[in-house]
PDB file of all heavy atoms in Angstrom:
ATOM      1  N   THR A 108     228.010 296.357  26.195  1.00  0.00           N
ATOM      2  CA  THR A 108     228.431 295.016  25.731  1.00  0.00           C
ATOM      3  C   THR A 108     227.293 294.004  25.846  1.00  0.00           C
ATOM      4  O   THR A 108     227.446 292.870  25.365  1.00  0.00           O
ATOM      5  CB  THR A 108     229.626 294.527  26.548  1.00  0.00           C
ATOM      6  OG1 THR A 108     229.221 294.357  27.921  1.00  0.00           O
ATOM      7  CG2 THR A 108     230.780 295.511  26.485  1.00  0.00           C
ATOM      8  N   ASN A 109     226.204 294.356  26.536  1.00  0.00           N
ATOM      9  CA  ASN A 109     225.113 293.437  26.852  1.00  0.00           C
ATOM     10  C   ASN A 109     225.509 292.357  27.820  1.00  0.00           C
ATOM     11  O   ASN A 109     224.745 291.443  28.134  1.00  0.00           O
ATOM     12  CB  ASN A 109     224.540 292.815  25.574  1.00  0.00           C
ATOM     13  CG  ASN A 109     223.097 292.376  25.726  1.00  0.00           C
ATOM     14  OD1 ASN A 109     222.318 293.036  26.402  1.00  0.00           O
ATOM     15  ND2 ASN A 109     222.719 291.248  25.135  1.00  0.00           N
ATOM     16  N   LYS A 110     226.729 292.406  28.299  1.00  0.00           N
ATOM     17  CA  LYS A 110     227.251 291.395  29.222  1.00  0.00           C
ATOM     18  C   LYS A 110     226.544 291.424  30.557  1.00  0.00           C
ATOM     19  O   LYS A 110     226.292 290.371  31.170  1.00  0.00           O
ATOM     20  CB  LYS A 110     228.771 291.587  29.423  1.00  0.00           C
ATOM     21  CG  LYS A 110     229.407 290.695  30.447  1.00  0.00           C
ATOM     22  CD  LYS A 110     230.886 291.000  30.588  1.00  0.00           C
ATOM     23  CE  LYS A 110     231.536 290.150  31.650  1.00  0.00           C
ATOM     24  NZ  LYS A 110     232.981 290.471  31.827  1.00  0.00           N
ATOM     25  N   PHE A 111     226.221 292.612  31.035  1.00  0.00           N
ATOM     26  CA  PHE A 111     225.635 292.751  32.382  1.00  0.00           C
ATOM     27  C   PHE A 111     224.115 292.936  32.373  1.00  0.00           C
ATOM     28  O   PHE A 111     223.518 293.198  33.413  1.00  0.00           O
ATOM     29  CB  PHE A 111     226.289 293.945  33.100  1.00  0.00           C
ATOM     30  CG  PHE A 111     227.735 293.814  33.349  1.00  0.00           C
ATOM     31  CD1 PHE A 111     228.659 294.481  32.571  1.00  0.00           C
ATOM     32  CD2 PHE A 111     228.194 292.963  34.343  1.00  0.00           C
ATOM     33  CE1 PHE A 111     230.035 294.346  32.804  1.00  0.00           C
ATOM     34  CE2 PHE A 111     229.537 292.798  34.576  1.00  0.00           C
ATOM     35  CZ  PHE A 111     230.470 293.517  33.813  1.00  0.00           C
ATOM     36  N   THR A 112     223.479 292.807  31.213  1.00  0.00           N
ATOM     37  CA  THR A 112     222.027 292.965  31.130  1.00  0.00           C
ATOM     38  C   THR A 112     221.314 292.112  32.164  1.00  0.00           C
ATOM     39  O   THR A 112     221.623 290.899  32.305  1.00  0.00           O
ATOM     40  CB  THR A 112     221.513 292.592  29.721  1.00  0.00           C
ATOM     41  OG1 THR A 112     221.994 293.591  28.789  1.00  0.00           O
ATOM     42  CG2 THR A 112     219.981 292.580  29.689  1.00  0.00           C
ATOM     43  N   VAL A 113     220.414 292.728  32.925  1.00  0.00           N
ATOM     44  CA  VAL A 113     219.642 292.011  33.948  1.00  0.00           C
ATOM     45  C   VAL A 113     218.226 291.769  33.422  1.00  0.00           C
ATOM     46  O   VAL A 113     217.523 292.709  33.039  1.00  0.00           O
ATOM     47  CB  VAL A 113     219.581 292.820  35.249  1.00  0.00           C
ATOM     48  CG1 VAL A 113     218.653 292.140  36.266  1.00  0.00           C
ATOM     49  CG2 VAL A 113     220.981 292.994  35.829  1.00  0.00           C
ATOM     50  N   ARG A 114     217.835 290.499  33.358  1.00  0.00           N
ATOM     51  CA  ARG A 114     216.508 290.140  32.872  1.00  0.00           C
ATOM     52  C   ARG A 114     215.857 289.159  33.834  1.00  0.00           C
ATOM     53  O   ARG A 114     216.477 288.148  34.228  1.00  0.00           O
ATOM     54  CB  ARG A 114     216.598 289.544  31.476  1.00  0.00           C
ATOM     55  CG  ARG A 114     215.249 289.263  30.834  1.00  0.00           C
ATOM     56  CD  ARG A 114     215.431 288.624  29.438  1.00  0.00           C
ATOM     57  NE  ARG A 114     216.265 289.417  28.588  1.00  0.00           N
ATOM     58  CZ  ARG A 114     215.848 290.445  27.853  1.00  0.00           C
ATOM     59  NH1 ARG A 114     214.570 290.790  27.892  1.00  0.00           N
ATOM     60  NH2 ARG A 114     216.687 291.121  27.114  1.00  0.00           N
ATOM     61  N   LYS A 115     214.610 289.430  34.223  1.00  0.00           N
ATOM     62  CA  LYS A 115     213.901 288.553  35.138  1.00  0.00           C
ATOM     63  C   LYS A 115     212.549 288.177  34.523  1.00  0.00           C
ATOM     64  O   LYS A 115     211.870 289.032  33.957  1.00  0.00           O
ATOM     65  CB  LYS A 115     213.695 289.206  36.504  1.00  0.00           C
ATOM     66  CG  LYS A 115     215.008 289.441  37.241  1.00  0.00           C
ATOM     67  CD  LYS A 115     214.791 289.866  38.680  1.00  0.00           C
ATOM     68  CE  LYS A 115     216.121 289.995  39.422  1.00  0.00           C
ATOM     69  NZ  LYS A 115     215.928 290.325  40.850  1.00  0.00           N
ATOM     70  N   ASP A 116     212.187 286.908  34.649  1.00  0.00           N
ATOM     71  CA  ASP A 116     210.967 286.361  34.019  1.00  0.00           C
ATOM     72  C   ASP A 116     209.964 285.918  35.083  1.00  0.00           C
ATOM     73  O   ASP A 116     210.348 285.456  36.154  1.00  0.00           O
ATOM     74  CB  ASP A 116     211.304 285.174  33.149  1.00  0.00           C
ATOM     75  CG  ASP A 116     212.341 285.509  32.075  1.00  0.00           C
ATOM     76  OD1 ASP A 116     213.550 285.376  32.360  1.00  0.00           O
ATOM     77  OD2 ASP A 116     211.927 285.905  30.974  1.00  0.00           O
TER      78      ASP A 116
END
Side-chain angles (χ1 to χ4, degrees):
T108 64
N109 205 37
K110 175 181 177 182
F111 296 104
T112 292
V113 174
R114 186 181 304 277
K115 294 190 177 184
D116 304 89

